[in-house]
Amino acid sequence: MRSIAALAVTAGLLSGCQSVSDALSSPEPNAGPCPSALSLYEAQRLVELEGGEVAYENVGFTGEILAVRSLCSYYGERPILANLEIDMGFGRGPAARGDARTYEYFVAITRRDYDVIHKEVFPIRVEFDAGEDRVYLTEEIDAISIPRADEGTSGVNFEIIVGFELTPEQIAFNRSGQRFRVAAGQD
């Protein structure tokens, strides 16, 4: 379980606040909706290509963000406290070297359709057993704290965005719409 504070200033706020689990069980309802939680399309997939040519036999390690879920709580003048779950799938293609890879993914808090308030990058080490070409994991981020200007500022003003840290070539590959699926064409 990992945690992220939206701003360094808000780190002190977490120590005085109850946990998200406790807040979610509070009888007082949220002042508004939770922030949207989603994966960024361009950073949703990671495909390593050995030799630069786009061909299945050149695929090394891969990763994909499969789902993003969030629960939040806020009321009065308190900041938005959110928990995040990210379902990810990882693959080892024909050109992958080794049995393990450390991937990096980010969690960013944004003002909706405006700018990034805060971004943190997290490593995730994935180990593949002998003969295994896929691994599925769920990452949990606990106690994301998003400060609000006042009690009238609702969660709809913010987004929680996740994605993989990618090279410019990997981003271009994702934008092209090309995909590699292990089971493509099989019954």
Side-chain angles (χ1 to χ4, degrees):
M1 188 175 301
R2 303 173 192 266
S3 66
I4 180 173
L7 295 171
V9 176
T10 63
L13 294 174
L14 286 176
S15 62
C17 293
Q18 56 194 348
S19 73
V20 176
S21 302
D22 292 341
L24 289 173
S25 64
S26 171
E28 192 161 347
N30 282 348
C34 289
S36 297
L38 56 122
S39 60
L40 184 63
Y41 175 77
E42 295 173 346
Q44 183 175 343
R45 295 178 297 123
L46 179 148
V47 177
E48 292 179 346
L49 290 170
E50 299 297 325
E53 186 180 335
V54 179
Y56 178 71
E57 60 272 5
N58 294 338
V59 174
F61 288 101
T62 64
E64 186 169 11
I65 296 172
L66 304 170
V68 181
R69 294 176 300 283
S70 177
L71 290 173
C72 83
S73 176
Y74 63 100
Y75 51 92
E77 293 182 9
R78 294 182 179 196
I80 298 168
L81 294 179
N83 285 348
L84 189 65
E85 290 182 349
I86 309 164
D87 294 335
M88 298 183 203
F90 301 96
R92 181 171 60 175
R97 295 185 187 113
D99 296 338
R101 183 182 190 293
T102 299
Y103 298 79
E104 289 188 335
Y105 69 95
F106 65 85
V107 176
I109 310 301
T110 70
R111 279 193 265 164
R112 188 178 198 100
D113 299 325
Y114 187 62
D115 63 358
V116 175
I117 297 171
H118 184 74
K119 175 184 170 184
E120 282 193 39
V121 177
F122 299 98
I124 180 170
R125 181 138 177 96
V126 179
E127 296 188 18
F128 296 86
D129 291 333
E132 185 178 48
D133 64 359
R134 285 171 265 183
V135 172
Y136 297 95
L137 300 172
T138 298
E139 281 286 280
E140 296 180 8
I141 309 289
D142 191 23
I144 296 172
S145 179
I146 305 170
R148 300 184 301 141
D150 57 47
E151 68 179 75
T153 305
S154 84
V156 77
N157 294 297
F158 304 98
E159 293 175 316
I160 303 171
I161 299 175
V162 301
F164 287 107
E165 289 287 289
L166 302 173
T167 66
E169 294 79 19
Q170 290 169 329
I171 292 170
F173 178 82
N174 287 349
R175 286 178 180 162
S176 75
Q178 297 182 60
R179 299 183 74 82
F180 289 102
R181 296 275 185 182
V182 173
Q186 298 178 358
D187 289 59

